[in-house]
Amino acid sequence: MRVLLVGGGVIGLLSAHHLAEAGHEVEVLDQGALGGESSWAGGGIVSPLYPWRYSPAVTALAHWSQDFYPQLGAQLLAETGVDPEVHVTGLYWLDLDDEAAALEWARREGRPLAAVAIEEVYRDLPMLGGGFSRALYMAGVANVRNPRLTRALREALLRMPNVTLYEHCAVTGFIREDGEVCGVRTAQGELRADRTVVAAGAWSGELLKTLGIELPVEPVKGQMILYKCAEDFLPSMVLAKGRYAIPRKDGHILIGSTLEHAGFDKTPTEEALASLKASAVELLPALAKAEVVKHWAGLRPGSPDGIPFIGPVPGHDGLWLNCGHYRNGLVLAPASCRLLADLLLGREPIIDPAPYAPAGRLG
């Protein structure tokens, strides 16, 4: 089978990896550089920011992915020599309004989240800002170095003889014959396939409009900033008042993020920079003296309730979706891409696919 993946972010690349491993001919194309959009721009926390606020559909994908990430990181390092740096730090939530709901969720789902005395938090995180009074902690939560993850996936695919990658190759429309989608049209010509999978993130809705399909996926802008500190400056991830601090292994600290409905505009703004700096200093006062190394924006693929679309598109044989992961594309990628491959190849799915099916969810 020849499968075409439209979109070269982590969802498209990892889907391609699964399908190529199964022996199929796979082509991946992207309108820009592979992994250059939200997969590059995100923070890489391997957990929804507030997992108890999501539906069981998101939880099922998240749990499977969280358990699989260390294995995925090790596999990609062995295959390519590029380490995605799956960094297990644990995560603190400070002064939550819905602490009781979080603890009930953890009890119900069997996740290691528990209340921690604030004195203990300040002992473990002496760099934390003052004024916090309550904390929850979940051990085992990791973050992944997302630019390195997409680079590792790209390298792995380049080494597979049944994979072709196309960068800077924008789709202008789909090829339809006898009611079936047989590939795509691009500025460089036609690409034909037995199955075409749209994994184009925030651009997925725009692509499907060319077929008269209303896919409720829209861009939601997010801005972040990056500091460089000592490697042991912050041992755990911290989240308070909707903002988070993520430590990388080399001492880089990410602070994020904004939520903005600004269409496809990715311009970083001074307002967001000031707001993110204020959050950074409130969480970690020492950052007041640190220099912002980088400030950027990306576009999340916003979708209703953050539930992705995974599966075939009714009435358009040959067309499949793996998109609409909103704020959790990196979190949900391993399970989403495995589920897509299971469904596409007729295997037993890892989880119930019904909540993600495009059928009944498209206009």
Side-chain angles (χ1 to χ4, degrees):
M1 185 163 55
R2 182 178 292 276
V3 184
L4 176 63
L5 279 297
V6 181
V10 67
I11 299 292
L13 295 173
L14 189 51
S15 296
H17 195 265
H18 279 298
L19 295 166
E21 277 187 321
H24 299 280
E25 293 291 322
V26 179
E27 295 175 301
V28 183
L29 62 87
D30 197 282
Q31 64 182 353
L34 295 173
E37 291 294 346
S38 60
S39 296
W40 177 88
I45 301 176
V46 185
S47 170
L49 292 184
Y50 304 96
W52 54 90
R53 298 179 188 173
Y54 283 93
S55 70
V58 173
T59 298
L61 291 172
H63 286 184
W64 196 93
S65 295
Q66 286 168 319
D67 295 341
F68 185 73
Y69 248 112
Q71 179 183 332
L72 175 64
Q75 178 188 349
L76 288 172
L77 175 58
E79 282 183 29
T80 69
V82 179
D83 186 359
E85 292 187 10
V86 179
H87 184 29
V88 178
T89 64
L91 173 57
Y92 286 97
W93 288 266
L94 304 176
D95 291 355
L96 282 169
D97 293 332
D98 55 352
E99 193 173 291
L103 291 169
E104 170 55 27
W105 169 87
R107 186 196 62 75
R108 187 174 67 246
E109 297 290 337
R111 305 310 278 187
L113 181 146
V116 182
I118 198 67
E119 295 79 15
E120 189 177 324
V121 178
Y122 278 108
R123 190 168 63 246
D124 291 345
L125 303 178
M127 71 298 296
L128 188 64
F132 297 107
S133 58
R134 290 173 292 111
L136 298 183
Y137 179 71
M138 186 151 66
V141 182
N143 67 74
V144 63
R145 195 80 173 257
N146 33 305
R148 295 179 65 92
L149 173 64
T150 52
R151 181 146 52 94
L153 285 166
R154 183 181 185 276
E155 286 297 319
L157 292 171
L158 285 171
R159 294 165 191 240
M160 303 177 93
N162 53 333
V163 175
T164 308
L165 305 179
Y166 300 92
E167 297 187 89
H168 308 287
C169 182
V171 170
T172 57
F174 294 88
I175 304 168
R176 289 196 74 189
E177 293 174 358
D178 302 322
E180 185 171 341
V181 174
C182 308
V184 298
R185 294 185 181 87
T186 77
Q188 288 95 315
E190 292 186 349
L191 289 171
R192 289 180 169 262
D194 302 304
R195 301 286 184 272
T196 301
V197 181
V198 174
W203 288 264
S204 299
E206 296 296 304
L207 281 174
L208 289 195
K209 281 180 184 174
T210 66
L211 290 170
I213 299 169
E214 286 296 323
L215 172 71
V217 173
E218 61 176 5
V220 182
K221 183 177 178 179
Q223 299 189 50
M224 300 182 69
I225 55 176
L226 182 73
Y227 293 92
K228 181 69 169 75
C229 302
E231 289 181 19
D232 59 353
F233 172 69
L234 181 66
S236 298
M237 294 180 283
V238 182
L239 198 161
K241 299 181 181 178
R243 294 278 168 85
Y244 51 76
I246 306 171
R248 299 300 199 211
K249 283 184 175 180
D250 63 2
H252 279 105
I253 306 290
L254 280 77
I255 303 291
S257 64
T258 64
L259 273 174
E260 307 165 56
H261 292 269
F264 288 95
D265 176 20
K266 291 191 300 176
T267 311
T269 64
E270 289 299 318
E271 294 86 352
L273 178 60
S275 175
L276 290 165
K277 279 182 167 181
S279 294
V281 172
E282 186 176 9
L283 272 174
L284 304 165
L287 294 183
K289 298 177 182 175
E291 183 183 347
V292 174
V293 176
K294 197 170 183 65
H295 170 212
W296 67 93
L299 300 175
R300 308 175 185 88
S303 59
D305 300 317
I307 299 173
F309 296 82
I310 306 170
V313 177
H316 294 75
D317 288 352
L319 182 63
W320 290 65
L321 302 180
N322 192 3
C323 58
H325 295 75
Y326 195 19
R327 304 189 76 176
N328 295 309
L330 288 157
V331 185
L332 307 181
S336 297
C337 298
R338 173 64 183 274
L339 179 60
L340 175 86
D342 288 346
L343 296 172
L344 201 68
L345 304 178
R347 304 187 304 213
E348 180 71 24
I350 50 164
I351 57 174
D352 178 10
Y356 321 102
R361 301 177 64 204
L362 304 176

